[in-house]
Amino acid sequence: MSIEILNSIKKANNFIKEKKIKAKKIALVPTMGALHEGHLSIVKKAKKDADVVVVSIFVNPTQFGANEDLSKYPRTFKEDKEALESLGVDAIFLPTEAMMYPPNYNTFVTVQNISNILCGITRPTHFRGVATVVLKLFNIIKPDIAYFGEKDYQQSVIIKTLVSDLNLDVIIKTVPIVREKSGLALSSRNLYLNEREREDAPMIQQALKKAKESFKSGEITNTATLIEEIKKYLSNGKTLMLDYVDVVDSETLSHLDTATKHSHILIACYCGKTRLIDNISLK
Ligand code: AMP
């Protein structure tokens, strides 16, 4: 069967209603399109777990700041559709901005405290936009399971908190980061990088791996020292400029002075003008 394009909320509602009558288990994979192997690995996982897989493609304006890349964010629907079709995805939910945020739209949801730290410092309205659109997507698609990538680690913790705090009836599953051979985490924004920046970008993961090795060898548990080591390593990348790096509790995202196995290092780093994020578990 060919893939259904649900290009209105009504179409999506009808599609879902029909599947629910048949007691089908529905999976949702929210994306902003410009799909790469990272997205596709999530889709493959969803296909294994559920009867019906819906991928949403929506470049959500409310999660972009005023000076960010909303207008130039890559849009590759034709290729996205082909890739999803070949994986046997059942439907693409493809709303427009006007459908999701009609005139006089007024409702936003904020997951307090963990939205204004780490990435939330440079992007103060980002996670409010993410939480709002994800809640809307959950209400429209009513998935039994929804999938998020560990690449956006803070986002995944925020979504889990949203689901728990608001008693949403959906299971959240996370999927490991897919990387290029170089170690660079796949991202739709990698398309912005020029040749020189592409050479430097893998240093972000190298710095994280080096810090993890220092931690694992028992050499360093003091997070200030780990952070210094990462900063020093990245200072060798000519096109790199660190936004932040922090060692946090893997569940609560709160800063730690001493790293443990239950910690994550989270990082955002400009590579030229492109802001890239990555993270590593110290487990
Ligand atoms: P985006 O289209 O960037 O909003 O991403 C959609 C979903 O794909 C999010 O849950 C991301 O965390 C996930 N994702 C993006 N890049 C990767 C990657 N390299 N590996 C695994 N998941 C990813």
Side-chain angles (χ1 to χ4, degrees), residues 7 11 55 58 71 92 96 126 148 213 230 236 246 260:
N7 56 6
K11 271 191 199 161
V55 175
F58 180 58
S71 61
I92 299 175
T96 62
H126 174 65
F148 294 85
E213 277 159 27
I230 291 169
N236 296 316
D246 205 356
T260 74

Side-chain angles (χ1 to χ4, degrees), residues 97-129:
E97 281 187 31
M99 287 171 198
M100 293 297 269
Y101 302 106
N104 306 320
Y105 185 90
N106 276 324
T107 306
F108 287 86
V109 43
T110 302
V111 179
Q112 307 263 33
N113 301 319
I114 51 174
S115 290
N116 58 10
I117 56 173
L118 305 162
C119 282
I121 295 173
T122 300
R123 309 187 75 192
T125 57
H126 174 65
F127 290 116
R128 173 181 105 132

Side-chain angles (χ1 to χ4, degrees), residues 29-42 56 58 63 73 147-153 155-156 175-180 184-190:
V29 182
T31 82
M32 298 205 299
L35 302 181
H36 50 63
E37 283 302 323
H39 297 112
L40 301 184
S41 78
I42 302 182
S56 61
F58 180 58
Q63 71 189 67
Y73 195 85
Y147 294 81
F148 294 85
E150 284 165 15
K151 196 204 135 223
D152 299 84
Y153 192 78
Q155 168 173 284
S156 73
V175 179
I177 303 175
V178 178
R179 299 178 180 280
E180 289 184 354
L184 173 64
L186 294 187
S187 162
S188 308
R189 290 192 168 96
N190 291 352

Side-chain angles (χ1 to χ4, degrees), residues 131-258:
T132 300
V133 82
V134 168
L135 182 55
K136 285 171 69 69
L137 292 170
F138 286 175
N139 283 333
I140 296 164
I141 305 298
K142 301 179 182 67
D144 298 284
I145 321 173
Y147 294 81
F148 294 85
E150 284 165 15
K151 196 204 135 223
D152 299 84
Y153 192 78
Q154 184 175 6
Q155 168 173 284
S156 73
V157 173
I158 287 171
I159 300 300
K160 284 178 191 164
T161 307
L162 173 80
V163 165
S164 160
D165 287 355
L166 296 185
N167 312 99
L168 304 180
D169 191 12
V170 56
I171 294 165
I172 302 300
K173 290 200 180 181
T174 58
V175 179
I177 303 175
V178 178
R179 299 178 180 280
E180 289 184 354
K181 271 211 190 87
S182 68
L184 173 64
L186 294 187
S187 162
S188 308
R189 290 192 168 96
N190 291 352
L191 293 169
Y192 299 151
L193 302 176
N194 66 30
E195 227 171 276
R196 187 69 198 80
E197 292 160 357
R198 276 203 157 265
E199 276 173 30
D200 286 347
M203 293 176 72
I204 298 169
Q205 196 220 12
Q206 287 158 15
L208 295 179
K209 275 170 73 178
K210 219 165 156 279
K212 180 169 179 171
E213 277 159 27
S214 301
F215 167 75
K216 273 179 76 177
S217 69
E219 237 175 273
I220 308 175
T221 55
N222 179 292
T223 60
T225 313
L226 289 173
I227 288 168
E228 257 333 291
E229 188 181 271
I230 291 169
K231 284 184 177 167
K232 197 166 161 218
Y233 190 86
L234 291 177
S235 67
N236 296 316
K238 284 208 173 62
T239 68
L240 299 181
M241 209 195 42
L242 186 67
D243 179 12
Y244 77 85
V245 57
D246 205 356
V247 185
V248 301
D249 179 272
S250 299
E251 245 176 75
T252 64
L253 299 179
S254 48
H255 169 79
L256 298 169
D257 291 331
T258 306

